[in-house]
Amino acid sequence: MKAIIQTGFAVATLFFSGSAAFATTTYLSCEFPTSKGIPQVFNFALDEAAGTFGVYVPASGSQRMEKGTFAGGKASLNEGSVAWEIDIAKGSVIRDQRMVGEKDGGTCKTISHARSGFEE
């Protein structure tokens, strides 16, 4: 009986831990250095399970959610004039501003949903 209870507990633990990890959205705040010394900030909502990549610009309040690409611990989004690539584990982001032919990089940190600026 004890073995059955332990096995049931182990299965339940795997089920709930796997489903919680699968359904989690990662919220990041990323900063790009500027010549003025005030960083440019973008917040991101990355949901690999749903395949969505959200971009929020705190300075303007602009928010958008698109289908992104997820592979090898990285998330990417091609918006045409701008492409983003985030290395989630390293906490880094590359912004390819195709409209002006410039690439730059920034640093990211994990934040809560409440601090992200994204609506439910």
Side-chain angles (χ1 to χ4, degrees):
M1 180 70 173
K2 186 176 179 181
I4 293 172
I5 292 171
Q6 288 176 337
T7 302
F9 179 73
V11 169
T13 300
L14 286 172
F15 175 78
F16 288 114
S17 65
S19 64
F22 188 70
T24 302
T25 299
T26 301
Y27 296 96
L28 301 172
S29 180
C30 301
E31 296 184 353
F32 292 86
T34 65
S35 59
K36 297 178 182 179
I38 299 171
Q40 193 174 29
V41 178
F42 293 87
N43 292 348
F44 298 98
L46 309 173
D47 188 335
E48 185 171 4
T52 57
F53 189 120
V55 181
Y56 174 72
V57 185
S60 67
S62 170
Q63 175 180 321
R64 56 199 178 272
M65 190 72 68
E66 303 289 337
K67 285 289 184 184
T69 303
F70 296 84
K74 294 182 180 181
S76 58
L77 175 66
N78 182 348
E79 296 184 287
S81 59
V82 178
W84 307 91
E85 184 174 309
I86 298 175
D87 188 319
I88 299 166
K90 290 183 180 178
S92 62
V93 59
I94 296 172
R95 173 177 56 178
D96 185 352
Q97 300 177 76
R98 297 172 177 177
M99 65 212 157
V100 294
E102 294 179 6
K103 278 188 181 183
D104 60 349
T107 58
C108 303
K109 63 182 178 184
T110 303
I111 58 173
S112 67
H113 175 262
R115 292 192 58 221
S116 71
F118 285 92
E119 298 174 5
E120 290 285 334

